[in-house]
Amino acid sequence: MPFYIVFRSTLKPSDIRLLLAHGYERIHKGLWIARYPNLTPRIDVLISSYSTIVLKTSRSLRSSVIDYERGVFDLGSLILIAYDLPCDPRIRKAVNRLIRRSPCFRLSPSIYLFPHARYEKYDNTLLISPNNLVKNIVLYGGKVACIPRLSLLNASSAKQVIDEFNALLAKRLENIYQTSLKLKDIQKLKWMKILSETRLEIKTLNVLIKFFEREVGLNLKDARSKLRKITRILAQ
């Protein structure tokens, strides 16, 4: 059973050579596959010396199991997407906008995990599905690896990924909250543009919050409360 290892920081050239010598394959600058896992002591030490996320393949799809009271954090079956983009800043900005509308967990700036879900239910929303993200990256001339039916090897990784997601969500909410407080002091022409962008971000976050509550089982009560507060401020 192959394992996928996401290195969340840059590997030293000597460590890259060591991985290659032990049969590991590099499929993205931060993503490696071990088709025949060979965790010798040297490799084990190498992996533990970096911040990593390890995933394994699974034959069947599993739903997530989240129980905050019992401390259970199992994200179930996941889809990994890793990509490389052309250097054009316009393309990178366009893909970043798509990522902001995608229901995913960020592992690195170009590696993301999506829950397995019936994304067709969200066809008429702002949500970007894994398939649509892949198609757009290819249209922009990027290279992309899409690997379904994965699960996190360690339970602690799931809690880490969820905590990082919550932190990014809180940051986005705080950004639009601060923007909403300052709108009255902004010149009219600039005000219209910022107001439009803020409303779009509110709609996007509303859909994302609903998705993660329904499909994954995350408790995002505080995020919903903050979003309602922002909406009330803009309605004044």
Side-chain angles (χ1 to χ4, degrees):
M1 179 183 294
F3 286 82
Y4 294 86
I5 306 170
V6 178
F7 288 91
R8 309 183 80 183
S9 55
T10 304
L11 284 167
K12 299 175 183 176
S14 58
D15 291 336
I16 292 174
R17 290 192 294 270
L18 183 60
L19 287 169
L20 292 171
H22 281 74
Y24 288 72
E25 298 176 32
R26 192 178 193 177
I27 55 179
H28 177 272
K29 59 187 176 184
L31 177 63
W32 291 71
I33 180 172
R35 298 190 186 278
Y36 307 100
N38 182 17
L39 288 177
T40 64
R42 287 186 70 189
I43 293 293
D44 198 26
V45 169
L46 186 158
I47 292 174
S48 63
S49 67
Y50 289 91
S51 174
T52 59
I53 298 289
V54 183
L55 302 108
K56 62 181 180 179
T57 55
S58 56
R59 292 184 178 87
S60 59
L61 295 177
R62 295 188 304 104
S63 299
S64 62
V65 179
I66 306 294
D67 189 323
Y68 289 87
E69 290 187 1
R70 293 192 295 128
V72 176
F73 300 96
D74 181 354
L75 291 175
S77 296
L78 300 161
I79 303 165
L80 185 147
I81 291 179
Y83 61 82
D84 289 305
L85 297 174
C87 293
D88 190 332
R90 293 171 298 179
I91 291 177
R92 293 178 178 273
K93 188 174 181 180
V95 171
N96 184 56
R97 284 198 295 265
L98 294 174
I99 291 292
R100 291 176 69 83
R101 291 168 52 192
S102 299
C104 56
F105 299 100
R106 180 184 185 272
L107 301 187
S108 81
S110 57
I111 304 178
Y112 295 85
L113 289 176
F114 286 75
H116 270 279
R118 293 177 57 193
Y119 286 95
E120 62 271 14
K121 294 190 298 182
Y122 301 90
D123 281 347
N124 296 320
T125 72
L126 291 168
L127 216 66
I128 298 293
S129 70
N131 284 342
N132 284 335
L133 179 62
V134 169
K135 288 176 183 176
N136 278 281
I137 290 172
V138 172
L139 284 173
Y140 284 127
K143 296 179 181 179
V144 59
C146 181
I147 308 166
R149 294 178 182 267
L150 297 178
S151 60
L152 292 165
L153 185 63
N154 302 312
S156 58
S157 294
K159 181 64 165 58
Q160 177 186 355
V161 167
I162 291 170
D163 287 345
E164 290 173 0
F165 167 80
N166 286 332
L168 285 173
L169 178 61
K171 184 177 179 180
R172 288 177 69 174
L173 286 165
E174 183 61 23
N175 285 342
I176 58 173
Y177 173 69
Q178 293 299 328
T179 299
S180 66
L181 293 177
K182 298 173 184 176
L183 274 174
K184 291 181 181 179
D185 301 325
I186 297 173
Q187 293 179 354
K188 187 171 183 180
L189 288 176
K190 193 176 180 181
W191 178 86
M192 293 297 292
K193 181 177 183 293
I194 295 176
L195 179 62
S196 176
E197 292 172 348
T198 302
R199 284 175 172 168
L200 178 61
E201 178 75 338
I202 288 172
K203 290 179 181 178
T204 300
L205 290 175
N206 187 45
V207 175
L208 288 173
I209 288 169
K210 287 180 179 178
F211 176 93
F212 279 103
E213 287 183 326
R214 294 172 181 173
E215 306 295 341
V216 183
L218 297 186
N219 180 357
L220 300 176
K221 182 180 178 181
D222 290 344
R224 280 191 285 110
S225 177
K226 186 73 172 272
L227 202 58
R228 284 195 296 267
K229 183 176 182 180
I230 295 166
T231 303
R232 286 196 296 269
I233 291 173
L234 291 178
Q236 292 175 358

